[in-house]
Amino acid sequence: MRDPSRRRMLLITGGTVAGGALAAVTPLTAQPSAHADTFVPTPLAASDPEPNIERAKRWWLPQRNVWTPIGWKGHLFRFNCVYNGALICDPSWVIAAKPNTEPYRGKNFQTTVVMPLRGGGFRDFPATAREVWDDDLGYGRQGWVEESDAPVLWTEHRRHEGLVIRQSVFAHVPGGGPVQSAVEPIYAWTRFEVVHVDPLNAPKDFTFQLWLSGSYMKPSGPYQDENGVPLTVFPETAPIAGGLTMQRVYNPTGKPITVPITDSAGNARLLVATADKGTIAMTENPKVKGVYDLRLGLPVTTGAHIDVLIPMLPQPLADAKAEMALGREAALAECQAFWKETATTVATIDTPENYVNQVVRRGPQLAQVVAEKSPDTGMFTFLSGSYAYDVLWSTPTSMVSHMFLDRLGHHDVVEKHIEIYKVTQGKRTPPGAVFAGGSYPGYLSTPKTLQAIDWMSDHGAILEILSVHALLTDRQDFIAKWLDVIVKACDFVVQACALTGHNGVKGLMPPGHSTDEGVETQGFISQCFTYKGFASAVELLQRLKHPRAAEFAEFADTFRATFVQAVRDLADRSQKWTDAQGKQWPVFRPQFAGEGVWDAFTMLDTGALMSVWAGLMPASDPLMKSFVEFFRVGPNQRLFDPAHHNALYRAVLDHEQSSSEPCYSWNMFHSWRLGDRAHFIEGLYGLLTGGLSQDTYISSEHRNAIYGNLFSHPIITWSLVHAVIDDSLVADQLRLLRLCPLEWLSSEKETRFEKVPTKFGPVTLRMKLDQRRDTLKVDFQGDWHHKPKRVVVDTPPLPDLKWITVNGKKYRTGREVVL
């Protein structure tokens, strides 16, 4: 089996390529036409209509290789459903290990859906290592059952024989309540149902097959073209040790029966409830010992179905039979009650674009599935992914809290999943040589038992979680509990920046491990996350009139001034690119000191563009504006081939989305700050349709590879909320509708942003056009815990709009409306 280490995979596949020498270039322009068999970048022209979801979907080739987690809040294990319906039951790690799943290593299982070949029979089980998508191009048809509160995932199998079988799956814990041990039995209820019969030509009955095996589809290299980390077949991991047994079936009446399939110990590995007048048979695969062919037949009539119950781990037969006896409908009813949202703080976002609404609806559920209650500590934590990154990179995963769940009002969820950081404060040493031998009581870090690779930015990222949560919720119990942690965390930043035994810029965070590169650098990401978290803490302390607020505010000013000078010094010694006007601009390395490994893409993802988001540089600074343009139109664009690109290649902005890791599209904050509506809206829709699976809304780390995570949801959520309700642009000011997509202004449907958390308190905004489309009716309410000094309503650039009414009062458009 190939080496599954993420760092190793990157290092052996050309990850050392740097930016290279840059020559004068002509910016990329949209080609007037292209051959029908090519796929080229298509930048939007000024004359193009403003994007919406349906237009944006056409910007991208469909994402390949998708897998989506199915699970239960807090459970240690998750099922992973592949785009083709394969269900992977792997309770242990794949790419990164952690101690609490080590006892379950190798105790995996997989069911793979195999449809009949055109000429009859079934394809052979794979015999060599290769990409899963070699069999089916990597595309499937999936979605969530929208009428269900519980996450029920369907996969359609459209058959040329003349029928459509819909496979649906949901997870269930017996009893339907919250986890206790977090390793209690968990089952995947899977139904195969005929949902369409061709009226002209369809068979009387139909038989398909499930391969029963160990988990053999695993994410792995090679980082070549679009093959970033695709699901790869490893046939040697498929055989089931000890084999499986299905008792002989005698069913002359053809009535539905329950058939258990057991392992060598007599425990249930799966149970099948056959269809009425259905068939079932199991044999060992003729070519691979330890893999089994389970043949399932059903009549081709609408509603005919087969239920397959799959435990994550083998279960005592009596227990599995009890779960099956409960019945799918009763199990689903328990799931509906478990998943129905009851928290009164949760926001409602309802727009005329159902896709947007469903992203907002399903994202928080997925975030709670990609999380766990650690059995050893009893504490909850978010994870960085499912079936790849089942550990914790605190920096990117912090964004799930402060840019995503807290911004949608899931405050209790956030509080429950960040307790781990209070326990570990001061317990670990920062990941840099300069810190060796010291004592750092304020340092916030990832618990060792969950650690993937520690980054220098983790401290600031965790501090941002705590500070933003306090600012948004104003929960006094939370503030009292965490205030000392926050103050000590600020002390650590001051302490760290005072260290001088390094070769970086003094007065900033010292060099250390900035990313996964395995080398020490004084990276932009370390400075930006540190300052962002520190500045938010200062804002909180100022609100609280804390006696140390002025001291820390002065330090923040000094840090920012030192950073700005360091950026200008770095600009002087940087390589240059030449814009269309012949002017040269610096191409910033992603670090002030040290040598990075992956500068070709980290200069976008973790580099200087972060400075605007962090509040360290203004978006209007020519150095910042030119660097965004470098990724939009610079020389990398001439090399960019979107159909054959992976995360390690030179990065560009493709429809305002990072071509490396979409979650790090920091240019969005430049466009937001500048009020650059065209680029902001393009980026919002680009991320919605290009950073997520358009079917299941699960995020990819980079397109076509590493799914099962929530990496892109934070910047999407932050952007779509701030497009309508903005509490961040100007201190003590709330801006409404500043960058609202025109698609959300409808005369047919009211757009609702209800109970949206802001730093001032929850805000509700409802809006609808009249039938003439010349008047926008806005209803606005704020439940203030800190009332803003100013509330401004901006005029959306909607043709024919003449009036805005706010809470019944009429205003002419084109003027600043101050409430």
Side-chain angles (χ1 to χ4, degrees):
M1 179 175 174
R2 301 175 196 178
D3 183 354
S5 162
R6 179 174 186 248
R7 186 190 302 177
R8 175 64 179 160
M9 281 194 295
L10 295 174
L11 289 174
I12 66 176
T13 53
T16 58
V17 177
L22 304 175
V25 299
T26 301
L28 177 76
T29 56
Q31 298 186 20
S33 63
H35 295 292
D37 60 351
T38 62
F39 187 80
V40 297
T42 53
L44 295 187
S47 58
D48 288 337
E50 182 171 288
N52 59 21
I53 285 294
E54 293 309 313
R55 295 188 189 107
K57 284 180 179 179
R58 300 186 182 99
W59 296 343
W60 313 99
L61 293 171
Q63 296 232 38
R64 301 168 70 181
N65 198 47
V66 175
W67 70 82
T68 303
I70 304 293
W72 203 256
K73 298 177 189 177
H75 204 286
L76 189 63
F77 310 138
R78 287 157 295 286
F79 301 94
N80 289 281
C81 189
V82 182
Y83 64 86
N84 56 17
L87 192 69
I88 300 171
C89 316
D90 199 327
S92 187
W93 63 279
V94 179
I95 286 182
K98 63 185 192 302
N100 60 16
T101 58
E102 278 296 297
Y104 306 98
R105 189 195 293 200
K107 298 180 180 180
N108 54 60
F109 185 65
Q110 179 171 327
T111 62
T112 306
V113 182
V114 187
M115 290 294 168
L117 298 170
R118 182 180 179 188
F122 296 89
R123 61 189 170 95
D124 290 338
F125 193 85
T128 59
R130 54 186 170 81
E131 278 70 39
V132 172
W133 60 36
D134 287 348
D135 289 326
D136 53 21
L137 305 180
Y139 304 129
R141 182 173 177 81
Q142 292 184 314
W144 299 103
V145 177
E146 287 197 15
E147 59 269 26
S148 172
D149 287 316
V152 180
L153 182 67
W154 57 260
T155 305
E156 274 194 356
H157 305 279
R158 299 185 175 194
R159 301 303 305 158
H160 66 88
E161 292 89 347
L163 73 158
V164 177
I165 293 178
R166 174 168 285 191
Q167 171 187 352
S168 60
V169 59
F170 63 89
H172 178 250
V173 168
V179 296
Q180 301 300 317
S181 68
V183 293
E184 50 260 74
I186 183 170
Y187 294 87
W189 279 87
T190 303
R191 171 166 287 185
F192 296 91
E193 180 177 5
V194 177
V195 294
H196 174 76
V197 178
D198 184 76
L200 300 179
N201 186 13
K204 181 180 178 181
D205 49 48
F206 183 78
T207 298
F208 63 97
Q209 180 170 286
L210 296 181
W211 281 330
L212 309 181
S213 67
S215 170
Y216 68 91
M217 297 179 182
K218 303 177 188 296
S220 180
Y223 275 93
Q224 179 64 39
D225 294 331
E226 69 177 327
N227 294 317
V229 190
L231 280 175
T232 303
V233 169
F234 294 101
E236 68 273 16
T237 67
I240 297 173
L244 297 176
T245 301
M246 185 180 84
Q247 293 180 349
R248 190 180 299 275
V249 175
Y250 178 70
N251 186 27
T253 66
K255 292 182 179 179
I257 58 172
T258 296
V259 181
I261 295 174
T262 54
D263 63 13
S264 59
N267 291 315
R269 191 58 281 191
L270 75 163
L271 284 79
V272 179
T274 63
D276 189 17
K277 300 182 176 61
T279 60
I280 183 171
M282 188 183 83
T283 58
E284 190 168 30
N285 188 278
K287 294 187 177 181
V288 185
K289 184 177 176 60
V291 173
Y292 293 81
D293 300 338
L294 179 63
R295 302 277 172 87
L296 300 172
L298 73 175
V300 180
T301 56
T302 302
H305 63 267
I306 301 164
D307 285 332
V308 180
L309 181 68
I310 308 169
M312 174 63 69
L313 295 169
Q315 293 299 314
L317 185 56
D319 293 351
K321 284 184 174 180
E323 173 74 6
M324 181 63 98
L326 176 66
R328 180 180 185 274
E329 298 311 313
L332 182 56
E334 289 186 353
C335 292
Q336 300 287 18
F338 177 76
W339 283 102
K340 188 174 181 62
E341 187 57 65
T342 58
T344 59
T345 61
V346 173
T348 296
I349 294 180
D350 187 28
T351 76
E353 296 187 292
N354 186 55
Y355 181 103
V356 173
N357 304 337
Q358 296 304 320
V359 168
V360 172
R361 178 189 184 194
R362 295 302 179 186
Q365 292 182 332
L366 289 165
Q368 293 176 79
V369 169
V370 186
E372 70 178 34
K373 178 182 179 181
S374 298
D376 48 341
T377 66
M379 304 187 78
F380 288 79
T381 179
F382 296 119
L383 298 173
S384 293
S386 177
Y387 201 58
Y389 297 159
D390 301 66
V391 283
L392 182 57
W393 277 268
S394 282
T395 292
T397 308
S398 76
M399 297 158 68
V400 169
S401 296
H402 59 78
M403 295 175 72
F404 172 26
L405 293 180
D406 254 337
R407 285 291 178 176
L408 293 178
H410 293 272
H411 303 316
D412 294 342
V413 175
V414 170
E415 287 190 16
K416 179 162 62 174
H417 288 79
I418 63 175
E419 282 288 320
I420 56 169
Y421 294 124
K422 193 172 193 296
V423 174
T424 56
Q425 186 177 33
K427 299 290 180 63
R428 303 193 61 204
T429 301
V434 71
F435 296 99
S439 174
Y440 307 99
Y443 177 58
L444 294 166
S445 62
T446 308
K448 184 70 173 175
T449 54
L450 296 167
Q451 172 199 346
I453 300 172
D454 286 343
W455 293 358
M456 282 295 299
S457 53
D458 290 347
H459 175 85
I462 298 165
L463 182 55
E464 178 75 349
I465 296 174
L466 306 178
S467 302
V468 168
H469 184 78
L471 288 166
L472 290 176
T473 67
D474 199 47
R475 290 180 169 180
Q476 296 305 304
D477 288 346
F478 177 86
I479 292 171
K481 180 178 181 178
W482 287 89
L483 185 58
D484 183 56
V485 172
I486 291 170
V487 172
K488 287 165 62 178
C490 291
D491 278 329
F492 167 75
V493 175
V494 176
Q495 178 188 15
C497 291
L499 296 175
T500 58
H502 59 82
N503 64 350
V505 179
K506 307 304 187 289
L508 299 181
M509 289 296 288
H513 291 276
S514 296
T515 62
D516 291 354
E517 294 167 287
V519 295
E520 292 200 6
T521 63
Q522 192 176 40
F524 272 90
I525 186 173
S526 304
Q527 313 312 319
C528 291
F529 264 101
T530 297
Y531 180 82
K532 183 68 171 176
F534 192 91
S536 295
V538 168
E539 183 179 354
L540 173 65
L541 296 176
Q542 288 174 329
R543 174 190 284 184
L544 298 173
K545 296 181 172 53
H546 192 276
R548 300 191 65 188
E551 169 197 344
F552 288 139
E554 183 179 0
F555 176 84
D557 291 341
T558 301
F559 185 104
R560 185 172 59 251
T562 303
F563 179 90
V564 170
Q565 186 58 53
V567 169
R568 304 208 182 286
D569 292 342
L570 182 60
D572 291 340
R573 63 180 190 270
S574 294
Q575 291 180 308
K576 304 296 190 292
W577 75 287
T578 306
D579 67 16
Q581 287 72 44
K583 188 168 182 180
Q584 290 196 325
W585 297 98
V587 178
F588 291 104
R589 302 165 66 230
Q591 63 278 129
F592 294 112
E595 294 297 325
V597 178
W598 306 321
D599 286 5
F601 72 88
T602 55
M603 65 170 61
L604 192 165
D605 284 17
T606 62
L609 294 189
M610 299 183 69
S611 307
V612 170
W613 165 76
L616 285 163
M617 296 284 288
S620 57
D621 189 293
L623 292 176
M624 295 293 101
K625 295 176 76 172
S626 69
F627 203 39
V628 175
E629 286 302 296
F630 169 78
F631 294 108
R632 286 179 181 146
V633 301
N636 289 357
Q637 284 282 2
R638 187 63 182 86
L639 307 175
F640 177 58
D641 176 356
H644 304 91
H645 186 87
N646 74 60
L648 294 186
Y649 290 178
R650 300 186 189 192
V652 301
L653 289 174
D654 184 15
H655 288 296
E656 293 298 291
Q657 175 179 280
S658 168
S659 64
S660 179
E661 299 186 21
C663 65
Y664 297 133
S665 299
W666 304 107
N667 50 290
M668 286 294 294
F669 297 93
H670 296 240
S671 300
W672 161 71
R673 277 282 179 195
L674 294 171
D676 182 350
R677 180 182 181 86
H679 283 121
F680 180 86
I681 297 294
E682 183 178 1
L684 174 58
Y685 283 106
L687 285 160
L688 277 163
T689 57
L692 309 177
S693 161
Q694 294 179 14
D695 292 325
T696 70
Y697 319 122
I698 196 67
S699 178
S700 56
E701 181 186 43
H702 47 282
R703 286 184 56 79
N704 301 313
I706 301 292
Y707 291 85
N709 60 72
L710 285 298
F711 288 154
S712 290
H713 285 75
I715 194 169
I716 290 171
T717 302
W718 193 97
S719 298
L720 72 85
V721 166
H722 280 75
V724 176
I725 300 172
D726 190 335
D727 66 347
S728 306
L729 187 69
V730 180
D732 296 326
Q733 184 177 118
L734 187 69
R735 298 287 290 265
L736 306 177
L737 307 183
R738 178 172 176 259
L739 293 168
C740 179
L742 298 183
E743 196 72 16
W744 300 353
L745 306 176
S746 170
S747 59
E748 304 301 321
K749 178 178 178 177
E750 182 181 61
T751 294
R752 297 182 298 131
F753 279 60
E754 297 175 346
K755 296 191 295 186
V756 173
T758 73
K759 294 177 182 178
F760 311 111
V763 166
T764 291
L765 189 72
R766 305 182 186 94
M767 52 191 171
K768 187 178 181 182
L769 287 170
D770 69 352
Q771 290 302 312
R772 295 189 305 273
R773 297 182 64 84
D774 68 354
T775 301
L776 178 65
K777 179 185 177 183
V778 176
D779 292 320
F780 161 75
Q781 293 140 353
D783 182 10
W784 312 123
H785 53 68
H786 289 82
K787 187 174 182 179
K789 292 181 180 178
R790 202 163 182 258
V791 179
V792 178
V793 182
D794 289 281
T795 299
L798 191 69
D800 305 322
L801 187 65
K802 299 177 180 177
W803 303 97
I804 297 178
T805 66
V806 183
N807 296 342
K809 187 173 181 180
K810 197 171 186 178
Y811 302 88
R812 182 172 290 279
T813 60
R815 303 175 183 176
E816 188 177 69
V817 176
V818 180
L819 304 183

